[in-house]
Amino acid sequence: MVPSTPPDAPKIAASSPPGDPMFPSSALELAVVGTGRLGGTVAAVLERGGHRVHRIRRGQAIPPSPIIWLTVPDSEIARVAATCPRSGVLLHASGATDLSVLADHPEAGSLHPLMTFPGDAEPSPPIPAAVSGSERARQQARALARALGWTPFEVPGDRRAYHAAAVIAGNFATTLLAEAARVLEHAGVPAHDAPALLAPLALQSLRNAAAIGPRGALTGPVVRGDQAVLDAHRAVLRSAAPDVLPVYETLLHATQRLANTDVTRIETNGD
């Protein structure tokens, strides 16, 4: 069961979906440049919500529009931005790219969903969305985010740190599940079953961490100070999956820091 959220804990609520009575009634007009997974998904959602969307494919001229949103690969942003009309607001959808690539446009910014878009289906809410740029660009980005049912928040600092955090929480979480599944195979569980069997534990742990904070949600041998169990883990990994052992050690050290346990005691007794 997920522990109740304390009063001072930050909350991310899903914005009202398109068609909801609370959804903004004024329709937006924009050009979505790029028809990949993100571009195709957001264009379809906006069209269903009654907004006017110009879908722009590679090589097509980009028409003047109140909002132009570049959902192209990071390496293409500067090139495509150079072909965009200077009127209106120009946004890119990159998490890692700063706004210098849009410097020629007076009203420029970014709207990046803090979410993975692995296919054609729209991810389930809540979907936080990072907003940055000029005041007008941020205003339009927030309006666009809400039109999509996303929850906008501002990222005024270093976008490299923002994107690194996103990769750790998103991409690396997937890798971590894959590594855990490989280890579970050595316990005799079929490879095709292992990820799905571990997923409920992983998801519930993340929900607990979001609800009460990562430190309060920690359970297991590190919190208990169970040295014998940690040593047993090291032993089996050393023999069965030695390439996973460095991953385990790095995460163990990070977990010890989080739990504020005696790092030296556990590490020196491990080998």
Side-chain angles (χ1 to χ4, degrees), residues 155-229:
V155 178
D158 193 327
R159 292 189 69 84
R160 295 173 300 177
Y162 161 75
H163 195 252
V167 168
I168 292 169
N171 300 152
F172 291 175
T174 302
T175 303
L176 184 59
L177 183 66
E179 294 291 85
R182 287 180 55 211
V183 175
L184 190 57
E185 292 176 42
H186 290 286
V189 175
H192 62 273
D193 291 336
L197 290 171
L198 290 166
L201 171 62
L203 293 171
Q204 187 62 55
S205 298
L206 291 173
R207 283 192 288 266
N208 291 349
I212 65 172
R215 184 176 178 182
L218 272 182
T219 61
V222 173
V223 176
R224 297 193 302 268
D226 197 333
Q227 183 66 49
V229 169

Side-chain angles (χ1 to χ4, degrees), residues 52-105:
R52 187 179 179 188
V53 180
H54 306 281
R55 298 195 189 208
I56 309 300
R57 298 181 180 275
R58 185 181 183 88
Q60 287 184 313
I62 302 171
S65 180
I67 304 173
I68 299 174
W69 193 13
L70 306 182
T71 64
V72 298
D74 290 11
S75 60
E76 292 289 301
I77 292 175
R79 181 189 66 79
V80 177
T83 69
C84 292
R86 297 297 191 270
S87 59
V89 166
L90 179 63
L91 303 172
H92 71 54
S94 170
T97 305
D98 63 30
L99 300 182
S100 62
V101 295
L102 309 181
D104 290 341
H105 295 260

Side-chain angles (χ1 to χ4, degrees), residues 135-151:
E135 182 176 356
R136 183 181 170 201
R138 296 197 311 273
Q139 182 182 40
Q140 291 285 54
R142 286 192 295 268
L144 181 53
R146 295 188 181 104
L148 286 159
W150 299 352
T151 304

Side-chain angles (χ1 to χ4, degrees), residues 245-262:
L245 184 57
V247 178
Y248 181 91
E249 294 287 3
T250 299
L251 292 172
L252 174 59
H253 187 80
T255 304
Q256 290 163 350
R257 289 201 314 268
L258 179 60
N260 197 28
T261 56
D262 187 343

